[in-house]
Amino acid sequence: MTMTAMAKPEAPNGCFPRAENRCHVVSNAPMNSEYRLLVVDAPETGLSAYAGQFFHLLCPATATEQPFLRRPMSIYRIDRENGQLGFLYKVTGKGTRALASLAPGDELNATGPLGVGFSLPDGAKHVAMVARGVGLATLAPLARMARAQGAMVTAILSARAPEFLMSRDELEAAGARVIEVNDVAGNSAPQEVINRLREIHAETPVDFMATCGSNRLLGLTRDLCSEWRIPGQVAVEAFMGCGLGMCFACVVPVRDGQGHEEMKRVCYDGPVFGVEEVTAW
């Protein structure tokens, strides 16, 4: 499969926002010392989300935290059978501390789904994804989408230390082959990951790559896509104001096929872009 530009799907119904979903918390449990998984019951509009999209969450006011802006949150789990959505997040500031206070039965206001997500090429047979930290939140639904289309999935998960590695169970349940690397073991350096991916590609050729969570992983993904002449996409992270494309607070430089650069909104034109379009964020 040669590396050709893929047409991105239009935003659902071509409009933003889809809906202001009033969800009820099912669970909000720690995954480790840094990350939590928030699971909510969601209405039909919320469940129409697909891999790579996000929701803009209204963080609750607490006795100590009063977040002003909503927080953009990637979709980690889309469970249409049980009518639930999952959000994997790291507690870092007042917004995520407020989210951590939500208890079962509480209401969460989630605007979305928003943004343009992943689009797999027709006939993809082997999807390789590499992610670090909370970047895994964006790629987990892609594994399910790829498997549903009949593609084999290999996921390389990277973290600072073994205790911060997450999502093995989630990805294996989706049918992915999972490989874990971390800084402590010394096997997470970009060249180590590249060598591992080349071995995987030699066994079963990769025809699509996806990444999120690290500029270094973006660089190696772009290089391998160019080397193997296959398409690849990256889910870009950015600070957002409105999440609807109106405030232009989340613009990043993006290159077209002729090398010309323009500023595009992560929330509206992305958050998923071709790996050849984005140099860094």
Side-chain angles (χ1 to χ4, degrees):
M1 181 180 297
T2 59
M3 186 168 61
T4 57
M6 292 177 294
K8 291 184 183 179
E10 293 295 326
N13 293 344
C15 64
F16 292 84
R18 261 317 280 286
E20 194 173 7
N21 304 278
R22 296 189 177 276
C23 308
H24 288 90
V25 176
V26 175
S27 61
N28 190 11
M31 301 289 283
N32 55 38
S33 61
E34 292 188 345
Y35 293 92
R36 299 179 70 91
L37 176 60
L38 171 63
V39 178
V40 300
D41 285 325
E44 185 177 349
T45 49
L47 296 171
S48 68
Y50 67 97
Q53 290 187 296
F54 70 96
F55 283 79
H56 223 200
L57 307 185
L58 181 62
C59 304
T62 69
T64 57
E65 309 288 357
Q66 294 184 327
F68 178 68
L69 295 174
R70 289 175 179 260
R71 296 300 191 270
M73 198 69 63
S74 300
I75 307 162
Y76 179 62
R77 181 183 298 164
I78 307 169
D79 185 352
R80 295 185 178 88
E81 182 177 349
N82 294 303
Q84 296 177 347
L85 293 172
F87 301 97
L88 182 67
Y89 65 101
K90 183 177 182 179
V91 180
T92 56
K94 64 171 61 176
T96 45
R97 284 196 299 268
L99 286 176
S101 73
L102 289 169
D106 287 349
E107 184 177 273
L108 173 68
N109 185 307
T111 299
L114 302 173
V116 179
F118 289 100
S119 53
L120 290 172
D122 292 338
K125 299 299 183 185
H126 187 187
V127 173
M129 52 182 66
V130 289
R132 186 172 173 92
V134 79
L136 298 166
T138 303
L139 296 185
L142 177 60
R144 292 189 181 276
M145 186 171 83
R147 292 294 296 141
Q149 294 186 27
M152 173 183 173
V153 177
T154 300
I156 297 184
L157 314 183
S158 176
R160 300 194 315 273
E163 60 267 28
F164 298 121
L165 286 163
M166 297 172 296
S167 304
R168 172 179 280 276
D169 292 344
E170 189 82 13
L171 287 161
E172 288 183 339
R177 171 194 180 191
V178 178
I179 298 168
E180 295 179 342
V181 298
N182 65 84
D183 298 353
V184 173
N187 57 0
S188 62
Q191 192 57 52
E192 293 281 343
V193 176
I194 287 173
N195 292 341
R196 192 68 176 272
L197 282 165
R198 283 182 174 142
E199 292 173 0
I200 292 166
H201 180 70
E203 295 171 0
T204 307
V206 174
D207 48 23
F208 178 81
M209 289 190 68
T211 188
C212 184
S214 164
N215 276 320
R216 295 193 305 170
L217 294 183
L218 168 60
L220 73 84
T221 300
R222 183 172 53 243
D223 291 346
L224 288 176
C225 284
S226 177
E227 177 182 328
W228 298 334
R229 299 189 59 78
I230 62 171
Q233 293 181 329
V234 54
V236 174
E237 300 170 339
F239 290 105
M240 296 181 187
C242 69
L244 307 174
M246 296 183 292
C247 72
F248 286 77
C250 63
V251 294
V252 294
V254 175
R255 296 180 300 190
D256 62 19
Q258 286 70 48
H260 302 131
E261 192 173 274
E262 61 180 318
M263 304 303 290
K264 287 193 174 182
R265 296 160 290 181
V266 171
C267 71
Y268 191 90
D269 302 300
V272 175
F273 296 92
V275 292
E276 75 284 353
E277 295 180 277
V278 182
T279 55
W281 71 86

